[in-house]
Amino acid sequence: MLEIVSLTKTFGKLRAVDNFSMEVEKGEVKALIGPNGAGKTTVVNLVTGVLSPDGGRIRLDNHCLLKLPPHKRIKTGISRTYQIPRPYPNLTVLENVLVSSYFGAGLKGEEAISNAIESLKFVGIYNLAEKRAKELNSEQQKLLDFARALSVKPKYIMIDEIGAGLGISEQEEIASKIRELGRKGYGVIYIGHLMKMVKAVSDTVVVMNEGKKLFEGTYEEAVNNEEVIKIYLGERYAKS
Ligand SMILES: Nc1ncnc2c1ncn2[C@@H]1O[C@H](COP(=O)(O)OP(=O)(O)OP(=O)(O)O)[C@@H](O)[C@H]1O
Ligand SMILES: [Mg+2]
């Protein structure tokens, strides 16, 4: 289980993450949603070790993550995608994924290559393997970022805003991949603003606001919760 317990992070006077707790089990897909600036990406940065918290704990299958530097956290089985993908622009798609395969998953030779290819096939961009990353469009860059996150062979993956800016059919395709990850036994935290995708992927929805957990429950419960509607969803989601 990935456990985030009473996590707090301040930037000056701003409590970006405020006594926030959530957990995700293997095989479970949880959505983490909330208004812009709620603290969602900051949670991801705290889990991966890009940022250090002011308080709280993060445990992954009984490892205390906070004692570990980012590269060692990856080895315990945690991975993430980026809200704004940042591939190595001059490397090919395959080379980009190989970097994660070598240095994230710790694989060598043929094993590293077949793992990289498997990730590209899973996200559906194996046909672009020989293209340079800088030649990809924004959707393809998001898929490459997804493949890179998978090729470190994580047990838990945090997917930050992968659907934004994509067309409806691409969103549906990515949603089905995310569901498949859950079925394959990954623990998934899916962050996004697109409620269609949230509905399609998640077993449970966590709503964050001003750094705090506002709500946790099923999608149906979330979209019918008065506070969630007021703070985030707006009346259009309210059911009479
Ligand atoms: N490195 C930083 N330094 C200072 N403030 C930061 C930093 N990172 C995030 N913040 C602030 O912390 C708050 C939470 O930001 P965060 O990026 O976690 O929100 P979010 O929920 O991911 O929002 P969005 O839905 O827009 O992606 C915001 O007010 C943001 O401006
Ligand atoms: Mg964010």
Side-chain angles (χ1 to χ4, degrees):
M1 194 199 299
L2 173 62
E3 288 173 275
I4 296 164
V5 186
S6 305
L7 204 60
T8 296
K9 177 67 184 176
T10 56
F11 296 115
K13 283 185 183 159
L14 174 73
R15 291 177 85 80
V17 176
D18 191 356
N19 203 18
F20 177 81
S21 301
M22 76 177 281
E23 59 226 26
V24 63
E25 309 248 19
K26 285 186 193 145
E28 183 183 38
V29 183
K30 272 198 186 179
L32 175 58
I33 65 173
N36 294 117
K40 305 178 297 292
T41 300
T42 304
V43 169
V44 175
N45 286 331
L46 290 166
V47 173
T48 55
V50 176
L51 295 171
S52 300
D54 297 297
R57 286 181 288 131
I58 305 168
R59 296 181 67 78
L60 187 145
D61 296 342
N62 292 323
H63 294 276
C64 177
L65 286 196
L66 291 182
K67 292 183 188 140
L68 303 175
H71 69 278
K72 289 206 173 140
R73 293 191 195 192
I74 292 172
K75 300 262 195 275
T76 67
I78 188 86
S79 179
R80 59 93 58 91
T81 70
Y82 290 88
Q83 206 162 348
I84 300 160
R86 26 180 141 158
Y88 299 103
N90 290 313
L91 296 187
T92 67
V93 166
L94 180 61
E95 286 163 350
N96 263 278
V97 182
L98 271 172
V99 171
S100 314
S101 213
Y102 289 129
F103 300 106
L107 298 173
K108 296 195 178 81
E110 283 300 317
E111 243 189 326
I113 295 168
S114 58
N115 177 59
I117 290 173
E118 195 185 318
S119 301
L120 291 176
K121 284 186 173 163
F122 180 81
V123 307
I125 56 166
Y126 181 55
N127 59 324
L128 303 174
E130 298 306 324
K131 273 208 167 193
R132 289 194 192 284
K134 66 182 176 192
E135 296 172 62
L136 303 184
N137 67 30
S138 63
E139 184 209 344
Q140 294 164 339
Q141 297 225 3
K142 291 225 162 203
L143 293 172
L144 171 57
D145 193 46
F146 193 14
R148 289 175 72 198
L150 287 171
S151 63
V152 311
K153 285 187 148 304
K155 291 180 243 164
Y156 300 88
I157 182 165
M158 296 174 287
I159 300 172
D160 197 356
E161 280 285 1
I162 201 166
L166 303 185
I168 300 284
S169 66
E170 285 93 5
Q171 285 170 22
E172 283 170 358
E173 233 166 88
I174 290 199
S176 83
K177 308 270 183 210
I178 294 172
R179 278 244 59 97
E180 197 177 332
L181 291 181
R183 282 197 301 276
K184 284 179 160 189
Y186 291 76
V188 183
I189 298 181
Y190 167 76
I191 296 171
H193 288 285
L194 299 164
M195 292 307 284
K196 253 195 183 164
M197 278 197 61
V198 170
K199 183 179 186 182
V201 305
S202 49
D203 300 313
T204 309
V205 177
V206 173
V207 185
M208 196 174 185
N209 184 47
E210 295 181 345
K212 297 189 182 69
K213 191 198 277 183
L214 177 78
F215 173 88
E216 178 160 3
T218 65
Y219 177 86
E220 283 304 317
E221 288 164 352
V223 296
N224 285 292
N225 181 282
E226 271 182 35
E227 246 187 318
V228 175
I229 292 167
K230 188 170 126 217
I231 281 167
Y232 182 54
L233 297 176
E235 293 304 320
R236 70 185 186 279
Y237 283 97
K239 292 185 179 172
S240 54

